[in-house]
Amino acid sequence: KIIFALKNRESYVKKYLKNIKKDSMNYDLLILIENKKKIKIAKQKNIFQIQIKGKVKGMNSIFCNIYRFKNFIKNYKYVCFVEDDNFIFNKGLKACESFLNQNPTYVGCNGKSFLFEKSKNKAHLLNSYISPRFDHASVIERLKKYNQLMGLVYYSLIRVNIFLKICKKINQINDDNLSEIYFNYLFIIFGKLKNLNILYLARIYP
């Protein structure tokens, strides 16, 4: 499996790398960077930095740049998109991978995810971050539920073929907000999404 850390804010990326080292990282990490110089980090065989032309700004340009490296990505079974101010817990990620291995009718899986607000040296819980599971067999029923709850589902662990299929479809959309909405809806349309009762993601805001 592979994870993307994006927006390439060096301090955030270094903090992310420090955290995953403590969390026994067992996945490959791809960092898309817009800077001319790569981020100075210790060399590791499972961390890749790819420089791109232009700025990584907004969801649309992010997904477009991801799709440009589809030949690299397609060699993996699962992919998890994560921005550099989020943190994916390895235990939750492994649980999601295990679930998808055993349940081929599901296209994605996530867990309990929370948004925190940073104030001085403390973090205060604001709310849950990813919407609940959407595992009804009917596409219509999944869309109905999503319209009621909304939320972000693209931070889930996703089957690579589905992820690239979605990126291809939104590749030509020029509106960042619209591409984000499209990704979430296409994800719900293409298949079922499981939400496990395990800590999966945390985000500190701002």
Side-chain angles (χ1 to χ4, degrees):
K1 50 190 176 293
I2 186 167
I3 283 186
F4 299 96
L6 297 172
K7 287 188 177 176
N8 72 299
R9 292 170 290 192
E10 187 163 348
S11 61
Y12 279 80
V13 173
K14 285 185 174 181
K15 185 176 181 180
Y16 188 96
L17 294 175
K18 183 179 179 180
N19 286 333
I20 60 178
K21 189 174 182 180
K22 294 178 181 178
D23 198 38
S24 303
M25 168 185 173
N26 71 337
Y27 48 79
D28 287 351
L29 178 69
L30 176 66
I31 305 172
L32 298 186
I33 54 175
E34 67 186 41
N35 300 325
K36 292 182 179 179
K37 293 182 179 180
K38 291 187 177 182
I39 298 171
K40 293 181 180 179
I41 55 177
K43 288 186 177 181
Q44 290 180 239
K45 63 179 181 180
N46 55 345
I47 296 179
F48 307 89
Q49 292 191 59
I50 296 181
Q51 293 169 294
I52 62 173
K53 294 180 179 179
K55 290 186 174 294
V56 179
K57 183 180 180 182
M59 298 306 299
N60 184 52
S61 62
I62 287 174
F63 290 128
C64 286
N65 279 304
I66 288 175
Y67 190 68
R68 284 172 52 194
F69 302 106
K70 57 184 179 293
N71 290 332
F72 178 87
I73 302 163
K74 69 181 183 181
N75 297 315
Y76 291 86
K77 190 174 182 180
Y78 303 114
V79 59
C80 178
F81 166 78
V82 58
E83 294 176 282
D84 54 20
D85 55 357
N86 295 340
F87 180 72
I88 299 288
F89 292 90
N90 195 40
K91 188 175 180 180
L93 195 68
K94 288 174 68 176
C96 289
E97 181 182 20
S98 178
F99 177 85
L100 291 175
N101 284 338
Q102 297 172 30
N103 296 273
T105 61
Y106 283 77
V107 299
C109 184
N110 59 51
K112 302 301 178 185
S113 307
F114 300 96
L115 177 64
F116 294 87
E117 181 180 36
K118 187 176 180 181
S119 177
K120 294 183 179 179
N121 294 322
K122 295 182 179 180
H124 305 280
L125 178 65
L126 293 180
N127 53 42
S128 58
Y129 199 43
I130 293 181
S131 299
R133 66 188 186 192
F134 299 92
D135 55 3
H136 199 285
S138 166
V139 175
I140 298 300
E141 292 302 318
R142 291 200 302 271
L143 287 173
K144 283 182 180 179
K145 185 174 182 180
Y146 183 73
N147 283 334
Q148 293 172 350
L149 299 171
M150 300 304 287
L152 303 176
V153 294
Y154 53 71
Y155 291 127
S156 307
L157 186 66
I158 309 171
R159 297 187 189 279
V160 163
N161 62 321
I162 297 297
F163 184 85
L164 291 177
K165 189 176 179 180
I166 295 173
C167 287
K168 182 179 180 180
K169 285 186 175 294
I170 66 173
N171 198 30
Q172 302 301 319
I173 299 174
N174 295 319
D175 185 280
D176 291 329
N177 293 325
L178 190 59
S179 67
E180 181 177 321
I181 293 170
Y182 267 42
F183 193 103
N184 285 307
Y185 272 104
L186 288 171
F187 191 4
I188 298 300
I189 289 170
F190 285 154
K192 297 185 294 183
L193 171 65
K194 182 70 173 180
N195 179 269
L196 300 177
N197 187 27
I198 190 169
L199 186 60
Y200 176 78
L201 178 146
R203 180 186 178 190
I204 302 294
Y205 175 85

